[in-house]
Amino acid sequence: MAQKPLDVLHSSLESPVLVGLKGGKEYRGTLKGYDIHMNVVLQNADELKEGNAVRRLGLVIIRGDNVVFISP
Amino acid sequence: MAQKPLDVLHSSLESPVLVGLKGGKEYRGTLKGYDIHMNVVLQNADELKEGNAVRRLGLVIIRGDNVVFISP
Amino acid sequence: MAQKPLDVLHSSLESPVLVGLKGGKEYRGTLKGYDIHMNVVLQNADELKEGNAVRRLGLVIIRGDNVVFISP
Amino acid sequence: MAQKPLDVLHSSLESPVLVGLKGGKEYRGTLKGYDIHMNVVLQNADELKEGNAVRRLGLVIIRGDNVVFISP
Amino acid sequence: MAQKPLDVLHSSLESPVLVGLKGGKEYRGTLKGYDIHMNVVLQNADELKEGNAVRRLGLVIIRGDNVVFISP
Amino acid sequence: MAQKPLDVLHSSLESPVLVGLKGGKEYRGTLKGYDIHMNVVLQNADELKEGNAVRRLGLVIIRGDNVVFISP
Amino acid sequence: MAQKPLDVLHSSLESPVLVGLKGGKEYRGTLKGYDIHMNVVLQNADELKEGNAVRRLGLVIIRGDNVVFISP
């Protein structure tokens, strides 16, 4: 059975996800929410560069149009 | 329970937020308002470069389509 | 009470504003009008580079999708 | 009284305007028409680089999503 | 009387036009059709670089969102 | 009689087409399908760089918003 | 008979696909789902650079507006 992208996102609520953005930045945190634009809310989020945490952002809203991928 | 991105934004009204934009600029200020496009109004806003305030803008409207993240 | 971005813009009519665009150009002038796309009309507008006026444009319509911020 | 951006554009019909585009090119000509996307029609249009006419285009339709500013 | 951009385009059917794109490429050919997105159809189209034909494409559909200007 | 861009695309079904993308990549293959966004399906598609096939993709869906031109 | 792009995508469910993104990154994995925006879900996905797997992402949602091509 096919898995709709937003359904997969829904299944990832409360789980750790990796969010890749245009330009190469990545964020890792616990997915707390999302909407149909793929705006997402992460908790305990770290900003990563080349896989390493370079800044702790804590709670963060990421605007969907920057998102390249979300990996649960 | 899931937290919709705009609900998290709403909960941050009157609180300090960090707003990251495309291109790397960041703004820090008190969130005074927002709309569904993630246009936001900041009060006592500073423009930051690499974490340091480089300009005081005071009251500022930021257009949502430039926003990468908003961190309460 | 929350301040909607367009309400703040409305309150700034006839007042001087600083408009920052994608790519870094900025314009300073008196806000004479706007619409829901954040297209704005400035009067006595100067184009700025690094804070200095480099060109007088007078009356100018700025297309909203270039706007990064508007600061009253 | 506030001046809507498209009303200012309408008032500029048959008058010379300067149109600045993303990427820095500018066009100068007589505004012959426009629509709600800020697509514009210029007559006797010159393409400018750093203020100097580098090419005569004559009649030209400019697609609105390239427009940064229009100055009557 | 104002000339709507799409009306000017309509008047140019079967005539030679120059189409300038984002990024600087230009195409010259006979305008055979268009739609409201400014998608255009050119016949006997040449791709130009700095005014010189560098490739003959013949019949070509150009997607409107790349178009900067169309000059009849 | 004017030729609508999508009609020209329709007439090119089952024929070889050259598809130019933003950024300069081009694809050559047999047009098997399309939709109103100019998403296209190519069969026996090759990716080209400067006119030379650099990779065989076979069946490929190209997302319309990357398309600069399609030449039958 | 013409093949609509989304129909081709539908036929590729549960099959390996190569997804090319703006900026040049590519992902290879099993297509588990998609939606009308060409958001896709890949399983056992690898991120590729110049054809070589550089990172295993496993399950990943790719946002459609980054997609250049999808090749089944």
Side-chain angles (χ1 to χ4, degrees), chain B:
Chain B
M1 204 188 67
Q3 298 172 293
K4 290 278 175 200
L6 289 181
D7 292 349
V8 174
L9 207 49
H10 192 81
S11 306
S12 305
L13 282 170
E14 303 300 334
S15 300
V17 295
L18 178 68
V19 180
L21 301 192
K22 291 168 186 169
K25 274 190 192 167
E26 299 187 347
Y27 294 85
R28 194 165 43 197
T30 302
L31 183 66
K32 297 300 290 183
Y34 69 94
D35 61 25
I36 57 162
H37 306 293
M38 281 205 199
N39 298 322
V40 294
V41 179
L42 301 185
Q43 200 177 46
N44 298 325
D46 283 315
E47 186 177 307
L48 310 178
K49 275 190 187 153
E50 297 171 14
N52 302 310
V54 294
R55 183 162 56 157
R56 163 133 299 222
L57 285 171
L59 188 64
V60 69
I61 302 159
I62 297 173
R63 202 167 182 269
D65 79 328
N66 302 285
V67 171
V68 175
F69 70 82
I70 302 175
S71 183

Side-chain angles (χ1 to χ4, degrees), chain D:
Chain D
M1 202 188 67
Q3 299 172 292
K4 289 279 174 198
L6 290 181
D7 292 349
V8 174
L9 207 48
H10 192 80
S11 306
S12 306
L13 282 169
E14 304 300 333
S15 301
V17 296
L18 178 69
V19 179
L21 301 191
K22 291 168 186 170
K25 276 190 190 163
E26 299 188 346
Y27 294 86
R28 194 166 42 199
T30 302
L31 183 67
K32 297 300 289 183
Y34 69 93
D35 61 24
I36 56 163
H37 307 293
M38 280 204 199
N39 298 323
V40 295
V41 179
L42 300 185
Q43 202 176 45
N44 299 325
D46 284 315
E47 186 177 308
L48 312 178
K49 275 192 188 152
E50 296 170 15
N52 301 311
V54 293
R55 184 162 57 156
R56 163 133 298 223
L57 285 171
L59 188 64
V60 69
I61 302 159
I62 297 174
R63 201 167 184 270
D65 79 327
N66 301 286
V67 171
V68 174
F69 70 82
I70 301 175
S71 183

Side-chain angles (χ1 to χ4, degrees), chain C residues 8-19:
Chain C
V8 173
L9 208 48
H10 191 81
S11 306
S12 306
L13 282 169
E14 304 300 333
S15 300
V17 294
L18 178 69
V19 180

Side-chain angles (χ1 to χ4, degrees), chain D residues 25 47 55-57, chain E residues 16-30 42-58 60 62 69-71, chain F residues 26 68-69:
Chain D
K25 276 190 190 163
E47 186 177 308
R55 184 162 57 156
R56 163 133 298 223
L57 285 171
Chain E
V17 295
L18 178 68
V19 180
L21 302 191
K22 291 169 186 168
K25 275 190 190 166
E26 300 188 345
Y27 295 86
R28 193 166 43 199
T30 302
L42 300 185
Q43 201 176 45
N44 299 325
D46 283 316
E47 187 177 308
L48 311 177
K49 275 191 187 152
E50 296 171 15
N52 301 310
V54 294
R55 184 162 56 155
R56 163 132 300 222
L57 285 171
V60 69
I62 297 174
F69 70 82
I70 301 175
S71 183
Chain F
E26 300 187 345
V68 175
F69 70 81

Side-chain angles (χ1 to χ4, degrees), chain G residues 19-59:
Chain G
V19 180
L21 302 192
K22 290 169 187 169
K25 275 190 192 167
E26 300 187 346
Y27 294 86
R28 193 164 44 198
T30 302
L31 183 65
K32 298 299 289 183
Y34 68 94
D35 62 25
I36 57 162
H37 306 293
M38 283 207 197
N39 298 323
V40 295
V41 179
L42 300 185
Q43 200 176 44
N44 299 325
D46 284 315
E47 186 177 309
L48 311 177
K49 275 191 188 153
E50 297 171 14
N52 301 310
V54 294
R55 183 161 56 156
R56 164 131 299 223
L57 284 172
L59 187 65

Side-chain angles (χ1 to χ4, degrees), chain G residues 57-72:
Chain G
L57 284 172
L59 187 65
V60 68
I61 303 158
I62 297 174
R63 202 168 184 269
D65 79 327
N66 301 286
V67 171
V68 175
F69 70 82
I70 302 176
S71 184

Side-chain angles (χ1 to χ4, degrees), chain E residues 35 39-41 59-63, chain F residues 3-19 30-42 62 64 67 69-72, chain G residues 2 4-5:
Chain E
D35 62 24
N39 298 324
V40 295
V41 179
L59 188 65
V60 69
I61 303 158
I62 297 174
R63 201 167 184 269
Chain F
Q3 298 173 292
K4 289 279 174 198
L6 290 181
D7 293 349
V8 174
L9 208 47
H10 191 81
S11 307
S12 306
L13 282 169
E14 303 300 334
S15 300
V17 294
L18 178 68
V19 180
T30 302
L31 183 66
K32 298 300 289 183
Y34 69 93
D35 62 23
I36 56 162
H37 307 293
M38 282 206 199
N39 298 324
V40 296
V41 179
L42 300 185
I62 297 174
V67 171
F69 70 81
I70 301 176
S71 182
Chain G
K4 290 278 174 200

